[in-house]
Amino acid sequence: EYIGQKFCTKDSCSGVIAGNVYANTDIPTSGIDIIIHGHMVDPSITINGNTNIIDGDFSENDGIMTIKSNGDVYYRESDCCEDSLVSPNAWTVPAGNEYGWELKTGGNPVIIKTNMCCGVSCAYIQVDGLTI
């Protein structure tokens, strides 16, 4: 259904998606598209220890959030067909972190907190690997 490496919550009440995304890249890349499918409130995405948060309550219905490598964030309810652009002001970078994410060659730890206890959520991470 979606492109990329798939990670899901362990159960319907954990609210945490965790895994190790493999990047087939010769040099570090920030070319990362992330899709989160489920219910979420202020979802936080941590890759290689760097956390970014998309502020907002996306818990009303099961939905799909798409975070593009260029910084655009889209959201749509699962039963709807149109994506809505999420305001750039919703993107928060906690103190001590940097905007966006960077993947290194090989494994990269990923933790996504949906902050919801409502069904299984999944994330799909697509990596644009770079070659020299």
Side-chain angles (χ1 to χ4, degrees):
E1 187 174 325
Y2 303 105
I3 296 174
Q5 298 173 57
K6 180 180 179 181
F7 304 92
C8 295
T9 54
K10 277 191 162 186
D11 57 49
S12 62
C13 229
S14 74
V16 176
I17 301 168
N20 200 22
V21 65
Y22 181 79
N24 187 15
T25 184
D26 290 341
I27 57 177
T29 181
S30 58
I32 308 161
D33 287 346
I34 302 170
I35 296 173
I36 306 170
H37 185 185
H39 298 264
M40 58 200 102
V41 174
D42 301 330
S44 68
I45 301 100
T46 303
I47 300 176
N48 289 325
N50 189 57
T51 301
N52 286 208
I53 301 168
I54 308 301
D55 294 324
D57 186 345
F58 307 96
S59 65
E60 186 70 26
N61 294 300
D62 187 38
I64 301 161
M65 177 177 287
T66 303
I67 304 167
K68 306 295 278 181
S69 60
N70 67 1
D72 288 344
V73 179
Y74 299 92
Y75 180 78
R76 72 177 161 96
E77 293 179 7
S78 293
D79 59 356
C80 184
C81 53
E82 288 191 36
D83 288 342
S84 297
L85 184 63
V86 176
S87 169
N89 295 332
W91 194 303
T92 301
V93 180
N97 291 272
E98 297 178 9
Y99 176 81
W101 304 275
E102 183 175 84
L103 295 180
K104 300 171 183 151
T105 303
N108 297 270
V110 175
I111 299 172
I112 299 172
K113 295 179 182 176
T114 63
N115 301 310
M116 289 293 300
C117 179
C118 183
V120 174
S121 295
C122 292
Y124 303 82
I125 301 176
Q126 184 176 5
V127 180
D128 183 13
L130 302 175
T131 58
I132 301 175

